[in-house]
Amino acid sequence: MMELKELVEADGLFMQTDQSGTLTVSGLKDGVTRVMQKMSQCLYMSLANEIERLQNIHLRRTYEAQKKHISDKNAGEGGAGEKLLYHGTTRENRDSIVKSGFNRSFAGQNDASYSAQPTYSKPAADGSQLMFVARVLTGVYTQGQATMKVPPPRSPQQPHDRYDSVVDRINNPSMYVVFHDNQAYPDYLITFNCTVELNFDEEVVLVRGEVDKGPGGGFGGAAEKWEYQVDRVFVQLTETYLCYHVLEPKLVKMVLQDPSFKTDDIKVYTESGYAVVVGEVDAMKEKIAVLEKSLPTKKEVPIVEKKFKLVEEEFNREMRANCPEVTIIRGSAMITLEGPDKEVQSGAAKLDELIKNVKEKRVKFPTALLIFMKTSDAIPKYQTRFQHSLRNPVFFEVGSDLVLSSLSSDALNEAEAAVMRDLKVTTVQLQGAIDLNRLKEILTKAKNEANSRELRVDVSYMPGASGTGTTKVQLVGYSEDVAKLNEVLHDFQLNQVSTQETINLLHPEMVDCFNKILDLIGMKQTKVTLQASHFPNPCVFVSGPRCHVQEAKETLTSTLSSLIVETLTLDGPGAQQYFQEEGKVTKELIESSCYVIIREKQTAATPNVQRPRNTSRLSDTPRSLSYSSSMYSTVGNSAINITNLKIKISSLENEQVDVLVVPMLNKHLTSTNIGNSLLAKAGNILQLKFYLVLASCAIAPGDVQMVDAPPSLGCSKIFFIECLPWDGVRGKSVQALGNGLKKCLELCVQLNFGSVAIPIIGPGIVLKYPLREAIQVLTDIIHQFGLSVSSGSLTNIHIVIKPGYPDSEECYHDVYKQLSLNMNQGGQAIFRSLTSDLDDIIMTVGSGVKLHVVFGDITNETTDVVVNTTNFKSFDLDGVCKDILTVAGPEVDTELKAARVNRGEIFVTQSGNFPCKAILHVHGRQDEVLIEQLVCDIIDYCEMHEYNSVAIPAMCAGAGGLDPAIVAGAILRGIKSSASIMNSLTNIRLILIKIDVFLAFKEEAMQMYSPAVINRVQVQQQQPPPSVSAYLSSLQISSTSQQSVFTFLGLSKKDVDDAMGKLKHQYQTQCSSNTFSKEELEPLDQDDMMELKELVESEGLFMQPDQAGTLTVSGLKDGVTRVMQKMSQCQFMALAREVRVRDEEDLYLRVVWCILAHNRNWERLPRTANHQLESNELTEEITDAQGLTWEVNLQTMVATQQLNRQTTKLKRLENLTDFTFPLYWDSMAASESMKVIPLEPSSAEYQTVKEAFKRTATKTVMKIERLQNVHLRRAYEAQKKNISDKNAQEGGAGEKLLYHGTTQENCDSIMKTGFNRRFAGQNATSYGCGTYFAVKASYSAKPTYSKPAADGSQLMFVARVLTGVYTQGQSDMKVPPPRNPQQPHDRYDSVVNRMYNPSMYVVFHDNQAYPDYLITFKGE
């Protein structure tokens, strides 16, 4: 019944039941038809013998998937359009549909009677029929055609976007057809044996069914039984339910609002003007009794409209609270109350009481205000306002007085106060001779502006008393607007009066040059008079109309206060006289060009007194000067310390050095984590060695014991320091640790060790040092060591920081900072270099774009663009986003938090306080494909806006949780793929704040880019030139001079400074003085400075240094000129040296000159010799890396040693832009990618390869060829770099020269394309499916691997193979196994036939081996 009711309401039909229990439905024909179909379905369900629910997981899963697909596709067009439809079937088809669903072209019916026809639901032998109730996804449908195989396209322009189904008619379809098997699901199966027809016109239900005939051909009792069943259904329906019509509107409302009428047993339906209650008989009888008792009464109460408005809100509130069942009907001058009699009477009494309580108040107002209220919109505004904004409504009337009415006296007082406050009348008496027409013009304009939207203010003019000639102005209206016009009137009167104001001047000099000051500031005396005077004090009198005087005073005061006044004192004879005579024109030119005023005053000479400057921009006066004999003295050792410092990101046990430094406590090896790590790698042999040394000796804190290192460690010795737990900065622990470290370094020098590795000792759970204090102790000791007399043979000190700890980054930054500060002492280099595993890496991308991989903080960047990685939600979590927003400031923070950004979009904000031009905010969403695309879009944005530089963090690698290696690959691929579009962009900086992220980017960059385009940026410390301050600090100064003082006035400090500088320069020019800046002095070397000193002394000149490092030379013009010429000469020579060094460096990257050394190997010549040979500058001999000098004949490419006349060969190689040639290769043309070089049997190279071959192979070598394949070697070197970095602590790349036998058929392929592991298996795969290489040539010389040709010759490659870290091979291996099960992507580099002394290596990466030589040989 509920479903029938909803259908009737949806179609806008009329449904009526009568007392006999019949139901009539009327309205539009289509709607009535749909109701009949629904009734038929309900009766079928009642007459059905059996209803089964079908649960087929497979069909339902595919149906739901199709539903999701159609729903997403039609998201804006109604979704999937799921409907319950009917489908008649037969016994034969039932099981097929239940198991596998409907076959294509399934027809679904809205009308069950249609599907119940025998044509579709074929009766069985017992007369029963079958019908499916199916869920059908109709989606977006169209008119069907008989010829359709699939639904037609929705649009001819999009042929693949088709309708989801078709129907028999678009308007009110009765048949749906779908073409996809998964578009319908059989939900229920109905078994029935009769049909039902509803005839609403005749009010008849016709039930048909098949009844089996008896043995004699008659129906007998079967027909009676069938009729009885049908009757039982209809009798049960009519006897169970009762209908009741409610016609009284009050009762209709009660029925509709009373929740007790809406239960499971009772339903309420609304009809046109009445309600119908339908339900089970017993429940209905109880409700009918309730309704019959509720009969309403009615009472009419006359009212006065004005007074009722005042009490209406209060009356309604009272009625809602106390008489909720009373209906209030408002008529003209009448209120009708309907409802229960008692409540109606109570309501009428309350209304009468409220009206009697209305109070009235009359307020006297000026007539002008009453007129204004009547002519403006004030009355309706106040009526509306006072009805709602006060504690009680107030009625507002204007007559001869203002009349206010309300229930509340307080409300009346509030209304009166509001009107008094809002409205105002002001009368102003005009004073003096006033231009009345001008005043009216001004006031009319102001009034019109105020009244632009409504009447807010009015103005009237009233003449004064007869004979007075004065006028009054009356302003009436809203208070704020009256006040504004009153202010206009006041200003007009005020500005007509003449007055005089005084401005005091801060400097008396300003009085005499006041006219110049006016010209300087561009102020004209038009409306006021300006007069400067010394009396009564330095000031300016401003006279004129008050309005202009005030304006001029404010302007002039502001301008004068902003004037810059400085004093310049020139020490020297004749300065003031010069600028009063010959230099006067020059001074005036300086004044005009710098927009300043210069005033001079006389001062007496002050002998032997050094006067301070009045401004910071004036240099000290020239003085006589003498040098001390210690001007080149330095602190500490005068020779360059040979020691290199390197910060290593590693574990101490993996360091490859001569000495490891290890802390211990109470002579226990395992008392610290470092000791435990060493023991874990070295084994019990270390424990034994440690015990033998320390068991019997007494040891004190700070003592050092030396233990021999076992072979498993990469060092010769281990120095153990006996330590103490932290007991404060001034405690014994710091002293003990410092002494121990000092002894370790001294032992290294005494025992001639070349390298030592020292960890950060102390900040662990045992010793408990604060991190900063532990670093301070170590760096202080290293600094003291650098200052020592000699570092001996100790060339490398490694400071080891273990990664992976929360404070690893902080530790690195502190160590690096402290060591950087300790690289020099008093201008003297005390270490050769400072390098780090985290040094910047610079690559060249595309046509010269520099790609920097930087370990650092992005908030320190100053690029044009900075990229911020954020999820646009969590802005307060620690990370790059929070750091950037903290620097950028609240405006950027607010702008970003309000952003709504779609996937893959870049959100651009202002830079705020961040020192860049724009900030790009992106969200990588932990998707490497999206990150790569975002990088491309970032570069595209920079190019579009012509930005030159951008800083990019590791998107999603921090808080985003994505693997840093994946992020690195995505970002670098994005940069590489965008290289071709980079024109404006010249500098890309990848800023990585975490150590593990930087190392991942470093490894990825090494793999992606050729070594030839990668540079590591290091702190390379070289001996600095002698410090200029060392020369200047020892100068002795004395002078006697006359002072000249000048006062400068200007609009800006820059103008004044420029003018002071020019005036001083002009004077110094006449006095033959010249100042050499710090930048000019810095390029000079020791010899230059000595020559300059000698020249100054011989010419008798004055010299004066200052704290900024500049040097002023003054004296006779010729002498100063010669010093200047000498300085220019020295600067030119220094520049030439610098250009030469730069040229040598540039050439060194492109061209390689080699010399054949005494060991018969090619060695590269140093940069200077390289440049000499390339430029053919052979007037002098060249010097090789060993310091030997050679004479060169470039025609024969032969070098001859000077001393013994020994000769050797020279060779020239020219590197490609992305490939550096090995030194032993021959040169190749740029167009050549491969070259085969037959080796001369007499050459050392031939002999070396042959001897290695003959050690195991008793074969005859016919020829040896060197293979030069640029593409293969480039890929091999990149792979070598990758494996070397990955295994930095475990032996590096493990490059070996191994052998690989081959055939004539495979030889050319290997030479051109390298070894291919896809051919694995040709000669068995006992240790994995890779490429096999033998340690001994005899193994590869077997005919099985080196198949003889027709002439009996065989071929074998000598290959460079990167074995790296290897393990035992297995026949089923496709790739090397993982080193650690917890890190499946970290695999071994190769496998071997046996772990002890392998004779066979197998690699699984084609670039892991390079065919270096090809040997052709025959058997004995």
Side-chain angles (χ1 to χ4, degrees):
M1 290 297 289
M2 283 299 294
E3 293 180 2
L4 279 174
K5 172 181 177 293
E6 292 171 357
L7 183 59
V8 166
E9 291 177 347
D11 284 333
L13 305 179
F14 177 74
M15 184 169 70
Q16 179 180 9
T17 58
D18 60 15
Q19 299 297 329
S20 63
T22 62
L23 177 67
T24 303
V25 179
S26 58
L28 295 177
K29 184 180 258 183
D30 288 343
V32 173
T33 300
R34 280 190 288 273
V35 173
M36 293 169 64
Q37 292 170 348
K38 186 64 180 178
M39 178 64 80
S40 173
Q41 296 167 13
C42 295
L43 289 174
Y44 268 115
M45 300 299 287
S46 299
L47 296 172
N49 291 350
E50 183 181 7
I51 300 177
E52 301 170 85
R53 182 173 68 247
L54 308 179
Q55 297 182 183
N56 186 318
I57 294 176
H58 170 70
L59 293 181
R60 190 58 178 255
R61 183 188 296 117
T62 56
Y63 171 81
E64 290 298 335
Q66 186 70 8
K67 179 178 177 181
K68 179 69 169 60
H69 169 68
I70 296 177
S71 179
D72 291 344
K73 184 182 72 170
N74 302 331
E77 305 174 77
E82 184 179 58
K83 292 180 171 59
L84 284 175
L85 304 177
Y86 299 89
H87 181 85
T89 187
T90 64
R91 300 276 179 184
E92 294 79 12
N93 294 337
R94 176 187 62 185
D95 291 341
S96 173
I97 294 175
V98 169
K99 293 178 180 178
S100 57
F102 299 105
N103 204 345
R104 191 161 302 182
S105 301
F106 159 75
Q109 293 295 323
N110 269 335
D111 189 353
S113 62
Y114 188 96
S115 295
Q117 296 179 22
T119 306
Y120 309 109
S121 179
K122 184 177 180 181
D126 60 356
S128 64
Q129 296 173 262
L130 299 174
M131 183 190 307
F132 283 103
V133 180
R135 294 180 181 273
V136 184
L137 304 173
T138 62
V140 180
Y141 55 79
T142 188
Q143 178 67 46
Q145 302 292 338
T147 58
M148 288 181 178
K149 303 292 185 183
V150 293
R154 299 194 197 184
S155 168
Q157 287 74 29
Q158 297 178 320
H160 299 295
D161 183 18
R162 299 179 177 275
Y163 287 95
D164 302 300
S165 63
V166 300
V167 296
D168 57 339
R169 58 178 177 267
I170 296 298
N171 186 24
N172 189 24
S174 65
M175 179 79 72
Y176 291 85
V177 182
V178 296
F179 297 82
H180 195 292
D181 295 345
N182 298 331
Q183 221 166 316
Y185 173 74
D187 217 4
Y188 298 95
L189 177 63
I190 303 173
T191 306
F192 60 94
N193 58 5
C194 61
T195 61
V196 180
E197 294 181 8
L198 296 178
N199 190 327
F200 283 88
D201 295 333
E202 299 180 7
E203 299 183 349
V204 172
V205 178
L206 177 59
V207 182
R208 292 190 178 94
E210 295 190 8
V211 181
D212 294 339
K213 296 180 178 180
F219 292 101
E224 294 179 359
K225 182 179 180 180
W226 179 81
E227 290 180 3
Y228 173 75
Q229 291 176 341
V230 174
D231 289 341
R232 186 177 62 186
V233 171
F234 284 95
V235 169
Q236 185 178 1
L237 287 172
T238 57
E239 290 181 351
T240 304
Y241 296 96
L242 179 65
C243 292
Y244 183 80
H245 292 70
V246 183
L247 304 177
E248 176 63 38
K250 173 65 177 177
L251 296 182
V252 171
K253 182 177 179 182
M254 186 182 81
V255 167
L256 295 178
Q257 294 179 350
D258 191 346
S260 66
F261 281 88
K262 299 175 184 178
T263 67
D264 294 339
D265 300 330
I266 298 176
K267 303 297 179 185
V268 179
Y269 304 97
T270 58
E271 299 295 343
S272 178
Y274 64 95
V276 179
V277 184
V278 182
E280 295 183 359
V281 174
D282 294 339
M284 284 296 299
K285 288 179 180 179
E286 179 183 343
K287 293 301 179 183
I288 290 171
V290 173
L291 291 173
E292 289 177 346
K293 292 180 181 179
S294 302
L295 295 176
T297 62
K298 179 188 299 186
K299 183 173 183 177
E300 293 181 344
V301 180
I303 60 169
V304 177
E305 191 70 27
K306 177 183 74 171
K307 292 187 175 182
F308 181 73
K309 283 184 178 180
L310 295 174
V311 302
E312 183 176 13
E313 183 178 349
E314 180 67 20
F315 177 65
N316 289 338
R317 185 162 52 248
E318 289 284 344
M319 294 300 289
R320 284 195 298 270
N322 302 316
C323 307
E325 297 186 13
V326 174
T327 301
I328 303 172
I329 303 172
R330 183 173 177 179
S332 177
M334 185 70 68
I335 294 294
T336 303
L337 306 178
E338 293 184 4
D341 184 67
K342 183 177 180 181
E343 294 185 6
V344 168
Q345 297 302 327
S346 174
K350 184 64 180 177
L351 178 60
D352 183 60
E353 178 188 350
L354 289 173
I355 290 177
K356 288 180 179 179
N357 288 335
V358 173
K359 301 175 179 61
E360 185 175 279
K361 184 174 186 178
R362 289 182 172 271
V363 182
K364 293 291 184 179
F365 262 80
T367 304
L369 269 181
L370 294 175
I371 295 172
F372 177 79
M373 284 189 276
K374 291 177 182 178
T375 56
S376 67
D377 294 332
I379 295 175
K381 283 173 63 177
Y382 279 116
Q383 285 176 343
T384 302
R385 174 180 168 188
F386 290 168
Q387 284 293 316
H388 303 289
S389 62
L390 302 179
R391 64 184 66 188
N392 284 96
V394 174
F395 190 78
F396 184 95
E397 290 181 293
V398 177
S400 58
D401 294 321
L402 174 63
V403 181
L404 303 174
S405 305
S406 177
L407 283 172
S408 167
S409 299
D410 291 338
L412 291 175
N413 294 333
E414 288 179 14
E416 179 185 3
V419 176
M420 298 290 287
R421 182 175 59 251
D422 292 348
L423 300 176
K424 186 177 183 180
V425 176
T426 298
T427 302
V428 179
Q429 181 80 43
L430 300 181
Q431 301 292 335
I434 296 294
D435 186 347
L436 189 58
N437 292 331
R438 176 58 180 161
L439 174 62
K440 288 182 177 180
E441 179 184 342
I442 293 173
L443 288 179
T444 301
K445 180 180 179 181
K447 183 186 77 170
N448 292 340
E449 290 177 357
N451 297 335
S452 59
R453 295 188 178 180
E454 60 174 333
L455 181 58
R456 303 279 303 175
V457 66
D458 200 5
V459 182
S460 60
Y461 302 91
M462 299 175 290
S466 58
T468 60
T470 59
T471 302
K472 295 181 181 179
V473 179
Q474 186 179 69
L475 307 175
V476 58
Y478 290 99
S479 299
E480 58 181 311
D481 298 285
V482 169
K484 289 180 181 178
L485 261 68
N486 192 25
E487 184 178 350
V488 172
L489 182 57
H490 174 74
D491 290 345
F492 179 83
Q493 291 192 91
L494 189 64
N495 293 335
Q496 299 298 311
V497 180
S498 296
T499 186
Q500 178 175 290
E501 295 284 349
T502 302
I503 302 174
N504 292 325
L505 298 177
L506 297 178
H507 302 277
E509 298 91 339
M510 299 174 70
V511 174
D512 297 328
C513 60
F514 187 73
N515 289 333
K516 285 188 176 183
I517 293 176
L518 292 178
D519 292 338
L520 180 67
I521 64 178
M523 188 170 184
K524 299 179 180 179
Q525 303 183 45
T526 53
K527 300 178 180 179
V528 296
T529 302
L530 303 175
Q531 181 64 47
S533 173
H534 285 285
F535 303 100
N537 55 276
C539 63
V540 176
F541 297 111
V542 185
S543 306
R546 180 176 297 177
C547 60
H548 300 308
V549 167
Q550 290 297 328
E551 179 183 356
K553 181 181 179 182
E554 291 175 4
T555 303
L556 190 57
T557 300
S558 174
T559 304
L560 292 177
S561 64
S562 65
L563 279 178
I564 305 299
V565 181
E566 296 282 4
T567 301
L568 171 65
T569 301
L570 294 178
D571 285 341
Q576 197 171 81
Q577 182 180 357
Y578 168 75
F579 286 113
Q580 289 174 347
E581 299 174 359
E582 309 97 277
K584 183 177 180 180
V585 175
T586 302
K587 180 173 72 72
E588 291 173 350
L589 287 175
I590 293 174
E591 286 181 316
S592 60
S593 64
C594 294
Y595 302 99
V596 297
I597 299 171
I598 305 174
R599 301 287 294 177
E600 60 268 9
K601 57 183 178 180
Q602 297 291 335
T603 59
T606 310
N608 297 320
V609 176
Q610 180 182 350
R611 294 187 178 273
R613 292 174 297 161
N614 292 55
T615 73
S616 61
R617 283 173 171 76
L618 300 182
S619 67
D620 291 335
T621 58
R623 293 177 172 87
S624 61
L625 162 151
S626 64
Y627 288 94
S628 69
S629 60
S630 60
M631 72 177 296
Y632 288 105
S633 64
T634 58
V635 178
N637 181 21
S638 61
I640 301 176
N641 197 316
I642 66 169
T643 305
N644 301 293
L645 302 181
K646 183 163 188 178
I647 304 174
K648 299 283 290 181
I649 308 301
S650 174
S651 297
L652 185 69
E653 63 270 20
N654 295 326
E655 282 297 295
Q656 305 290 318
V657 290
D658 294 333
V659 177
L660 298 181
V661 175
V662 179
M664 65 178 177
L665 190 63
N666 299 324
K667 296 199 303 183
H668 290 303
L669 171 62
T670 57
S671 57
T672 64
N673 287 334
I674 298 175
N676 282 311
S677 299
L678 283 177
L679 184 61
K681 182 166 185 177
N684 291 332
I685 187 172
L686 176 60
Q687 183 80 58
L688 178 61
K689 290 175 176 287
F690 181 86
Y691 179 79
L692 291 175
V693 173
L694 281 89
S696 58
C697 68
I699 193 167
D703 287 349
V704 175
Q705 286 296 328
M706 182 173 63
V707 176
D708 291 334
S712 54
L713 296 177
C715 64
S716 301
K717 303 290 182 182
I718 305 174
F719 290 171
F720 286 92
I721 303 176
E722 177 67 14
C723 297
L724 289 173
W726 173 255
D727 59 355
V729 176
R730 302 185 183 278
K732 294 181 179 180
S733 59
V734 171
Q735 184 179 358
L737 178 57
N739 290 338
L741 290 171
K742 181 179 179 182
K743 291 175 184 177
C744 288
L745 294 175
E746 291 173 349
L747 279 173
C748 288
V749 175
Q750 293 171 13
L751 300 176
N752 292 322
F753 288 123
S755 55
V756 61
I758 309 174
I760 307 299
I761 298 174
I765 60 174
V766 177
L767 300 180
K768 299 181 180 180
Y769 275 56
L771 179 62
R772 295 284 175 88
E773 300 301 331
I775 293 171
Q776 190 69 49
V777 174
L778 175 59
T779 54
D780 284 349
I781 295 301
I782 292 175
H783 183 222
Q784 292 172 21
F785 174 77
L787 296 174
S788 62
V789 176
S790 174
S791 59
S793 61
L794 187 58
T795 57
N796 291 293
I797 299 177
H798 291 186
I799 297 89
V800 181
I801 299 173
K802 191 168 185 177
Y805 285 90
D807 57 1
S808 294
E809 285 80 11
E810 178 189 359
C811 180
Y812 170 82
H813 288 301
D814 284 350
V815 170
Y816 196 96
K817 176 182 177 182
Q818 293 298 326
L819 293 179
S820 299
L821 294 174
N822 292 338
M823 292 298 290
N824 295 287
Q825 180 73 27
Q828 173 78 25
I830 61 175
F831 295 104
R832 173 169 290 178
S833 67
L834 171 61
T835 60
S836 162
D837 286 347
L838 302 181
D839 288 334
D840 297 359
I841 298 174
I842 303 177
M843 290 145 281
T844 302
V845 181
S847 56
V849 179
K850 296 297 183 184
L851 171 61
H852 301 250
V853 180
V854 180
F855 175 68
D857 187 347
I858 198 167
T859 59
N860 296 327
E861 292 300 300
T862 58
T863 50
D864 291 345
V865 175
V866 169
V867 177
N868 175 31
T869 174
T870 175
N871 61 3
F872 295 100
K873 295 178 182 177
S874 305
F875 300 98
D876 296 324
L877 296 179
D878 289 339
V880 170
C881 179
K882 182 178 179 181
D883 294 343
I884 289 177
L885 293 181
T886 300
V887 176
E891 292 183 3
V892 177
D893 185 53
T894 302
E895 188 176 359
L896 181 60
K897 288 179 178 177
R900 296 293 179 268
V901 182
N902 296 323
R903 177 185 175 90
E905 289 184 352
I906 298 175
F907 183 71
V908 184
T909 67
Q910 58 180 320
S911 60
N913 299 326
F914 207 106
C916 64
K917 297 178 181 177
I919 303 178
L920 311 187
H921 307 270
V922 298
H923 185 10
R925 297 179 180 271
Q926 293 79 47
D927 184 344
E928 62 176 310
V929 177
L930 178 60
I931 292 172
E932 182 176 346
Q933 183 58 48
L934 282 171
V935 173
C936 296
D937 294 344
I938 289 167
I939 294 173
D940 209 5
Y941 180 91
C942 292
E943 286 297 323
M944 185 186 308
H945 294 81
E946 297 184 349
Y947 290 131
N948 301 127
S949 56
V950 60
I952 304 174
M955 304 176 199
C956 301
L962 200 57
D963 187 335
I966 294 175
V967 176
I971 291 179
L972 290 170
R973 285 194 302 273
I975 294 172
K976 195 168 187 178
S977 63
S978 301
S980 59
I981 69 168
M982 297 181 195
N983 294 312
S984 300
L985 203 57
T986 59
N987 195 358
I988 302 174
R989 295 174 61 80
L990 305 182
I991 311 302
L992 315 165
I993 199 168
K994 290 292 184 181
I995 289 176
D996 60 333
V997 177
F998 176 87
L999 295 177
F1001 271 73
K1002 178 179 178 181
E1003 181 177 355
E1004 197 69 24
M1006 294 302 182
Q1007 293 181 9
M1008 189 172 297
Y1009 292 91
S1010 166
V1013 300
I1014 299 177
N1015 293 318
R1016 290 178 182 80
V1017 178
Q1018 305 171 351
V1019 178
Q1020 195 71 27
Q1021 186 70 27
Q1022 298 179 355
Q1023 177 72 6
S1027 171
V1028 174
S1029 61
Y1031 297 88
L1032 303 182
S1033 62
S1034 59
L1035 302 181
Q1036 303 297 324
I1037 302 172
S1038 62
S1039 68
T1040 300
S1041 62
Q1042 179 182 352
Q1043 290 186 333
S1044 300
V1045 180
F1046 298 84
T1047 300
F1048 289 72
L1049 296 90
L1051 296 176
S1052 72
K1053 197 163 192 318
K1054 182 179 182 304
D1055 292 340
V1056 171
D1057 290 341
D1058 289 346
M1060 291 169 68
K1062 289 181 180 180
L1063 193 76
K1064 177 186 173 184
H1065 175 72
Q1066 179 66 19
Y1067 168 70
Q1068 290 176 339
T1069 300
Q1070 296 301 313
C1071 292
S1072 300
S1073 175
N1074 190 71
T1075 300
F1076 301 105
S1077 67
K1078 182 178 179 181
E1079 290 75 19
E1080 291 175 306
L1081 296 172
E1082 281 179 344
L1084 305 187
D1085 60 16
Q1086 182 172 341
D1087 292 336
D1088 294 333
M1089 292 299 290
M1090 283 300 295
E1091 291 180 13
L1092 200 62
K1093 170 183 175 292
E1094 292 171 358
L1095 181 59
V1096 166
E1097 290 177 341
S1098 64
E1099 293 289 341
L1101 304 176
F1102 296 96
M1103 293 183 68
Q1104 182 215 339
D1106 68 5
Q1107 297 298 324
T1110 64
L1111 183 66
T1112 301
V1113 179
S1114 57
L1116 295 177
K1117 197 166 198 176
D1118 291 343
V1120 172
T1121 301
R1122 279 190 285 273
V1123 171
M1124 293 172 61
Q1125 291 171 347
K1126 183 61 181 178
M1127 178 64 76
S1128 297
Q1129 180 184 354
C1130 294
Q1131 290 174 342
F1132 175 80
M1133 296 304 296
L1135 179 62
R1137 290 194 298 268
E1138 182 181 347
V1139 171
R1140 174 60 180 254
V1141 170
R1142 193 162 52 241
D1143 290 344
E1144 289 179 359
E1145 289 287 345
D1146 180 64
L1147 182 66
Y1148 201 72
L1149 294 175
R1150 295 182 291 104
V1151 177
V1152 179
W1153 279 89
C1154 304
I1155 189 168
L1156 193 61
H1158 69 278
N1159 59 4
R1160 309 311 295 167
N1161 289 326
W1162 289 101
E1163 292 182 355
R1164 187 167 191 183
L1165 288 167
R1167 288 170 174 76
T1168 301
N1170 195 75
H1171 190 274
Q1172 285 178 271
L1173 291 171
E1174 186 67 17
S1175 306
N1176 199 10
E1177 299 173 357
L1178 301 177
T1179 54
E1180 298 178 355
E1181 296 79 16
I1182 65 170
T1183 303
D1184 65 11
Q1186 281 69 43
L1188 301 177
T1189 56
W1190 303 79
E1191 297 174 357
V1192 174
N1193 186 333
L1194 286 180
Q1195 293 182 345
T1196 60
M1197 297 293 280
V1198 172
T1200 304
Q1201 192 175 344
Q1202 274 190 327
L1203 295 177
N1204 55 18
R1205 307 310 294 173
Q1206 177 185 348
T1207 61
T1208 189
K1209 294 182 179 179
L1210 296 173
K1211 178 172 67 175
R1212 179 186 183 275
L1213 299 174
E1214 186 167 353
N1215 292 330
L1216 303 178
T1217 55
D1218 60 347
F1219 180 72
T1220 301
F1221 282 84
L1223 295 184
Y1224 64 92
W1225 276 23
D1226 286 4
S1227 61
M1228 297 174 66
S1231 60
E1232 290 182 296
S1233 62
M1234 191 184 85
K1235 191 173 185 179
V1236 179
I1237 310 295
L1239 299 184
E1240 291 293 332
S1242 60
S1243 68
E1245 187 178 9
Y1246 183 100
Q1247 294 298 325
T1248 301
V1249 176
K1250 178 181 176 181
E1251 286 172 7
F1253 175 86
K1254 295 287 284 183
R1255 287 192 194 105
T1256 60
T1258 58
K1259 305 290 183 179
T1260 301
V1261 176
M1262 299 173 62
K1263 64 176 177 179
I1264 301 175
E1265 297 164 287
R1266 181 173 66 245
L1267 309 179
Q1268 299 184 181
N1269 187 316
V1270 173
H1271 298 311
L1272 293 183
R1273 190 59 179 256
R1274 182 190 294 118
Y1276 171 82
E1277 291 294 337
Q1279 186 69 6
K1280 179 179 178 181
K1281 182 68 178 64
N1282 175 34
I1283 296 176
S1284 179
D1285 287 352
K1286 184 181 70 168
N1287 302 331
Q1289 313 304 328
E1290 302 174 71
E1295 185 181 62
K1296 291 179 172 57
L1297 286 174
L1298 303 176
Y1299 299 90
H1300 181 87
T1302 187
T1303 64
Q1304 292 287 349
E1305 294 77 18
N1306 294 337
C1307 182
D1308 286 343
S1309 175
I1310 292 174
M1311 291 168 63
K1312 293 177 181 177
T1313 62
F1315 299 104
N1316 194 330
R1317 67 184 183 282
R1318 289 180 295 175
F1319 297 127
Q1322 292 183 349
N1323 296 310
T1325 57
S1326 302
Y1327 306 104
C1329 298
T1331 306
Y1332 285 62
F1333 297 89
V1335 175
K1336 296 181 179 180
S1338 58
Y1339 187 94
S1340 296
K1342 296 177 181 179
T1344 306
Y1345 310 110
S1346 180
K1347 186 178 179 181
D1351 62 351
S1353 63
Q1354 295 174 262
L1355 298 174
M1356 182 190 303
F1357 284 105
V1358 180
R1360 293 180 180 270
V1361 184
L1362 305 173
T1363 62
V1365 180
Y1366 55 79
T1367 188
Q1368 177 67 47
Q1370 302 291 338
S1371 61
D1372 58 347
M1373 287 181 177
K1374 304 291 186 184
V1375 293
R1379 301 191 195 183
N1380 186 331
Q1382 281 73 39
Q1383 296 178 321
H1385 300 295
D1386 183 17
R1387 298 179 178 276
Y1388 286 93
D1389 304 299
S1390 64
V1391 299
V1392 295
N1393 61 333
R1394 59 175 178 266
M1395 290 300 293
Y1396 176 72
N1397 193 22
S1399 64
M1400 184 75 66
Y1401 291 81
V1402 184
V1403 296
F1404 298 81
H1405 194 293
D1406 295 341
N1407 296 333
Q1408 214 166 321
Y1410 173 78
D1412 213 6
Y1413 298 94
L1414 178 63
I1415 303 174
T1416 304
F1417 62 95
K1418 279 188 177 182
E1420 293 293 336

